[in-house]
Each structure stands twice: as structure tokens, then as C-alpha cells.
Amino acid sequence: MSALDDRAARAGILSEYRDLFGVWRETSAETKAALLAALGLSETDPPEPERALPRWHICEPGDAPELTADPWSLTYEDGTEGEGQGPLPPLPLGRHRLAAGGEVCWLLVAPARLPLPARSWGLMVPLAGLRPTTVGGIGGYGDLARMAEGAARQGAAFLGINPIHAGFPADPGAFSPYTPSHRRRFASVYLDTDGAPGGDLIDFGAETPARMAALEVRFAAQGDDPAFAAWRAEQGAGLDRFATYQALSERFGAYWDTWPVAYQTPDDPKVAQAAREMADRVDFHAWLQFQAETALGAARDRAAGAGMALGLYLDLAVGTHPHGAETWEDRDTFAFGASLGAPPDAFAPQGQNWQLAPFNPVKLIDTGFEALAATLRHQLRFAGALRIDHILGFERAYLVPDGLPGAYVQMPRDAMLAVARIEAARAGALIVGEDLGVIPDGLQQALQDSGILGCRLACFEHREDPPVFKRPENYDESVIASFTTHDLPTWKGWREGREISVRRDIGLTPPEHAQGMFDWRGREVSGFDWLSGQFRGDASPESAEAMWSVLAATRSRLVSVQVEDVLG
């Protein structure tokens, strides 16, 4: 084994992996070297000396960690400290820092398993599309609250939406919820405004500037607000850094890598000077966050008040824009020079590069998983359930270096799941892990053992040719079942093969292959219709009720219904 191969193996870079088609793909030397650099490592780094303490250790609340050190010091999550020798004391829920003999071990005190929810169903909606037809344009947090109350009256236990992380007001065209600027801040574009333009189609490029202008007027007219002042003081330096970033983006552009060098680092004196000069703009962007959290909290409370058992079901994007507010504020936690992605699979045979900054596992462990915990905690303040996009990345992250093929990097799975359980238990919420794609061995069992729900899409739950669909009684219990999801066709679109047509028309699928895919879809539809015939009663096979009858018969604790299928 070469020095490069040895260093890559110690860093958790897998030397090979098997893709969805069963093909083994070897990680090249160039990719290994590039990923080491992205992780802040070098191929000449010597092996670490043997440690007396692990880097992290998991135990349950009320238990004493099975570790011994002489002497030791303990910093609890709340900042209190303790010292001793020999066995450690029983610990409360949270992340605590143990130091002994010049080493640090993070103690992750988490429940062994989260409780499963009662069996129920909920509605999935695109927040941007919730605007009443009489108003038009982009939906908002007020529309979310009204929808939650209406869905609750129909018996829905949750209302799910796509990510609502802070985006890029300085670049209205960059509106993808899965490429956010900051996952611990919320999108101000969903704040309700009077007089913003609206139409039958959602036009972020036109409406975002108009909404910001309307919010400017409201901010200028509000005067002193003691509630805002108290909230801002409680938020501390993190909010000020985010608001400063937003103000700087108005001056230099949306992405920090294009800014003058002095402003690319938040601790540079020129940044502090600019914040003072633009104090009114910093105040405005801090106020936008106050308004967003206030509106989101109102939606949460109105859902609960209407009797919705779980309430809002929020979505955590798998990564963040490599040059947005989150990476500007917290540079060290991320790996630069590589993007999150996915290897070739049936959904994307060419593989995927998502152009998202990944967590650096080295720094994540060194900091006691602070960025992960804080991100989860911020979302769970408003959610009774939280979906973690692409939770496969808790096991191993597929990183694509600039200009090179990708490879997998091993992540501290058990520790990350423990952090998720800590934050969910603290909030009294549940976690859903989106476990679709090339699934590593053991991950789904680890999710089940943690009480974290997986995802099962009925459109994919079949085998053989012609397709034989999984029977409802054979679905796992600890999952959320649905027919498709936000980035797949609707029930009607699936039956017609609309995504096949689109992929053919834009050149992703060669025309000569499309007909075979249409033929396969026809066999899929026939297979599902045969299954639904045992559950749908008098409903026609093409009706959404036929599909829902299958989902309703599953063992799954949660079932989600797409609003597009309700509307037809």
C-alpha cells in the first residue's frame, strides 16, 4: 500500500465502492489526493499516536460512561464544569466534553431509541405554491398557517413542506430550497406582504425584489420594537454575522468568493467597519429573521391549536451553498474543493454533483458535532417532525472533487445519529431520514434501531418483470410511506410517464431508449393496478383513491399524501 493509499484509508476515503448496477468502481489516486486536501489533510501526515480515550463515546441519559481517566475534567453542555478521578458520573442528555491526559472525548448522551409516532397521515405541499388564486404569486408563512388549520380539520397529523432555509435575496434567480445560503436561518421571501405582484405562475425573479421592497417599507415604519430588541440580544453574535453577510451581499454580490479578499473572512477588521457603516442594512436583515421566526412560530402554534398531532414537518437540506452565509460564518466545519453528490444510479445514470458544501468529518468530530446539533436544533424549534435529506450521508458522503470522479468518505454514523436523537428528544419531535438511492449496508437497520423513520416510495417498491409490487402488510413499520415525493412525478404523471417524456425532450434520455422506458412504465402501471384492485373497492384504478387505498393499508406508522394528487 502506498503512502497515499494508507493516508486515504486512515481518513476514511473508501478505495472502492459498488454502484447500484453492481459495478465496482475504484477510487483513483487523483481523487484520493484531492479529497485529502478538501478535508484539510496531507498524504504525508504521520499516523496518530494511540489514544487512551476515543474521540467520541455514546451513552444514555442517567448512565455513567464506561470510561475511566485519572484525572479528568468535564465540561457539561450548559457550561458547568466538574473534575474527578476514576469512573465518570451519570450524565444528563446532551453533548459534554471530557478532557484527560491531553486528550478530548465528546460524550454524546442520547436516548437509545426515539419513540415511534402513532399511526397517522399528513399532507405534503409546496409552500411557494400556496398563495390563494385571488392573490397569486409566492405563498408565505401565513398561507402555511391557514393550510395547517385546514388540513388539521381533515384529520391530517402533519403538514410537510420543502426546506425554508435562508436563500439569496441578492440573487433572486437562486431560489432552489435545496441550495440554501444558511440552514440555521429562514427564508424572508415567504414573509407575507401587501401589494407584491402575483400571477398564475410563480416568478421568484420578479417577486423577490418586490417583496423585499415592501418589507423595507414596513421596517422603516415600525419604530422601536422591544420584542425585536430582546430577541436580537438573545440571538447573539451568530445573528449579527448572518445579517452582516446579507448586507455585504447587497454591496458585493450574493456569493462571498467573488468579494474583495478582505471581506471573504468575517473576522477581518474591514468587515467590522463595513457592519458599522451599514448598520441600518444589518438591522434590516436581522429584523427579517425576527419576522420569519415569528411568522413560522405562529404557523406552528396554529397547527397545534387546530389539533394537528405532529404539526409542521420541515425539511433539512443535505448541504449548503459553498459560498453562502453558512460557509462564510463557519469556514472550518466544511470541506472545500469537493461537492456533495451521488454515484450513478437508476435515477441519474450519469451520477450527480449537487454543488453543495459537505461537512468535514474531521472538524465535525473536533468540535463535538456542534454545527450538526445547532442546525437540527434550530429547525426543531418549529417542527414536530424533521426530514433529513439524504441521510445516507450520515454513513458515508459521496464527495466529488473539482474536475475529478467522486468517491465515498466514511462519516461517524453512530455519533451523528446520536446527535439527532439528542436534539429530537430535547424537542419532543421525530426524525425522518430520506434513505433512497445507493443504500449502504447496515444503515437502514441503524435508523430503525434509533427510532428514526425511513422513507418508502410505493412507486419503487417492486421486483421482477413484469413488476410485482410490495404488499401493504410487508412494508416496514418504522417508515413514512408515500407514492412519490417532491422531485418525482405525481400519480397522474407517473401513470403517463411524463418524466420520461421530459428527460427525452431535454436530452437526458436518448430517444432510442425512451420507448423501452415507456413500455416498462406500462408494465409498472399494470402491476400496481393489480395490487390496488385488492384494496380500492369501487374506485377506478387510475384514481388517486386507488393509490391511497394501498398506502392506507400499509404497516407504516406515517403516510404522506401529495397535495398535487389531491388536486388532480
Side-chain angles (χ1 to χ4, degrees):
M1 179 181 289
S2 69
L4 174 61
D5 292 339
D6 176 69
R7 186 66 188 99
R10 287 188 280 117
I13 300 170
L14 303 190
S15 61
E16 61 181 359
Y17 69 92
R18 186 170 61 184
D19 67 19
L20 192 65
F21 308 106
V23 177
W24 283 96
R25 297 178 181 266
E26 186 174 347
T27 303
S28 69
E30 293 80 8
T31 292
K32 289 179 180 179
L35 290 181
L36 283 173
L39 297 175
L41 304 173
S42 167
E43 61 186 270
T44 60
D45 293 336
E48 291 188 6
E50 187 173 348
R51 291 172 55 94
L53 290 175
R55 290 196 174 276
W56 48 266
H57 176 80
I58 300 170
C59 62
E60 294 187 50
D63 289 352
E66 296 180 356
L67 298 172
T68 301
D70 291 308
W72 51 259
S73 65
L74 189 60
T75 303
Y76 292 88
E77 189 178 63
D78 63 5
T80 59
E81 298 181 346
E83 296 180 342
Q85 292 184 325
L88 295 167
L91 296 175
L93 181 79
R95 298 174 301 111
H96 315 293
R97 184 180 185 274
L98 171 67
E103 297 178 349
V104 171
C105 172
W106 287 95
L107 304 175
L108 308 176
V109 186
R113 191 169 194 263
L114 298 172
L116 295 181
R119 197 160 184 273
S120 55
W121 69 276
L123 188 66
M124 304 298 297
V125 300
L127 177 56
L130 288 187
R131 202 72 162 163
T133 55
T134 54
V135 179
I138 302 172
Y141 295 124
D143 302 306
L144 178 66
R146 287 186 285 275
M147 175 63 84
E149 291 174 329
R153 288 194 292 271
Q154 303 303 316
F158 60 87
L159 179 65
I161 56 177
N162 290 147
I164 49 175
H165 310 312
F168 297 94
D171 183 6
F175 54 79
S176 170
Y178 290 96
T179 309
S181 177
H182 205 310
R183 291 172 295 175
R184 294 195 293 278
R185 303 295 167 193
F186 292 103
S188 54
V189 72
Y190 296 121
L191 287 168
D192 297 323
T193 56
D194 297 326
D200 293 337
L201 297 179
I202 297 169
D203 186 349
F204 281 95
E207 190 161 347
T208 298
R211 286 206 171 189
M212 290 300 105
L215 290 165
E216 294 258 18
V217 172
R218 186 192 302 176
F219 174 68
Q222 65 145 9
D224 293 335
D225 182 351
F228 169 50
W231 176 85
R232 185 174 184 179
E234 180 182 308
Q235 293 293 305
L239 173 67
D240 287 338
R241 282 193 296 271
F242 172 78
T244 299
Y245 181 92
Q246 297 295 79
L248 287 170
S249 72
E250 295 175 346
R251 176 181 291 184
F252 298 126
Y255 310 104
W256 60 257
D257 64 321
T258 65
W259 295 357
V261 173
Y263 298 93
Q264 294 185 13
T265 304
D267 296 330
D268 192 284
K270 286 193 175 182
V271 171
Q273 179 182 347
R276 291 190 294 269
E277 294 170 353
M278 299 187 296
D280 58 332
R281 306 308 302 158
V282 174
D283 292 346
F284 172 63
H285 287 289
W287 177 82
L288 287 177
Q289 287 303 298
F290 173 66
Q291 293 296 319
E293 292 205 3
T294 300
L296 192 54
R300 173 200 61 205
D301 295 343
R302 287 172 64 177
M308 191 170 270
L310 293 174
L312 300 183
Y313 173 29
L314 299 186
D315 195 353
L316 175 63
V318 63
T320 191
H321 193 287
H323 301 111
E326 190 173 349
T327 59
W328 184 75
E329 174 188 350
D330 184 15
R331 198 74 49 86
D332 291 342
T333 301
F334 294 92
F336 286 92
S339 167
L340 283 167
D345 59 19
F347 182 69
Q350 71 279 15
Q352 300 177 62
N353 183 333
W354 298 330
Q355 300 297 327
L356 294 172
F359 278 137
N360 182 335
V362 177
K363 299 298 184 181
L364 203 59
I365 294 171
D366 287 346
T367 57
F369 307 91
E370 171 60 27
L372 174 63
T375 302
L376 292 169
R377 190 180 314 129
H378 206 74
Q379 296 292 313
L380 288 167
R381 291 171 56 208
F382 302 97
L386 179 66
R387 174 186 180 270
I388 299 177
D389 188 31
H390 197 70
I391 204 169
L392 279 61
F394 276 33
E395 174 82 41
R396 58 187 191 182
Y398 189 79
L399 303 188
V400 185
D402 297 340
L404 291 169
Y408 278 111
V409 175
Q410 196 69 43
M411 300 293 285
R413 181 196 71 188
D414 292 344
M416 296 176 75
L417 291 177
V419 171
R421 296 197 303 273
I422 289 170
E423 297 304 331
R426 182 175 278 145
L430 66 90
I431 301 289
V432 175
E434 188 262 295
D435 55 343
L436 306 172
V438 183
I439 303 169
D441 293 341
L443 175 63
Q444 291 182 327
Q445 185 62 53
L447 295 178
Q448 183 175 328
D449 292 344
S450 286
I452 294 175
L453 274 62
C455 295
R456 298 294 179 272
L457 305 186
C459 67
F460 293 148
E461 292 292 324
H462 56 65
R463 55 184 173 78
E464 302 179 6
D465 186 6
V468 177
F469 279 80
K470 180 184 287 187
R471 294 188 58 82
E473 62 268 25
N474 294 330
Y475 273 64
D476 294 328
E477 181 183 22
S478 57
V479 301
I480 181 170
S482 61
F483 187 76
T484 60
T485 187
H486 65 275
D487 54 2
L488 291 171
T490 62
W491 163 249
K492 181 185 289 187
W494 176 81
R495 294 181 68 88
E496 297 175 359
R498 288 184 186 172
E499 88 284 10
I500 300 172
S501 298
V502 170
R503 293 170 69 85
R504 176 199 60 201
D505 294 346
I506 64 176
L508 288 179
T509 299
E512 62 271 20
H513 294 167
Q515 187 56 52
M517 297 173 74
F518 280 119
D519 293 342
W520 168 249
R521 178 57 50 81
R523 297 196 295 276
E524 285 184 305
V525 170
S526 296
F528 194 86
D529 288 351
W530 181 87
L531 176 63
S532 72
Q534 303 168 59
F535 302 94
R536 66 175 182 258
D538 295 333
S540 62
E542 66 273 9
S543 68
E545 287 79 6
M547 174 263 292
W548 294 331
S549 70
V550 175
L551 295 178
T554 65
R555 298 175 59 241
S556 306
R557 286 298 182 102
L558 296 183
V559 168
S560 70
V561 173
Q562 302 290 126
V563 72
E564 294 88 350
D565 294 332
V566 176
L567 298 175

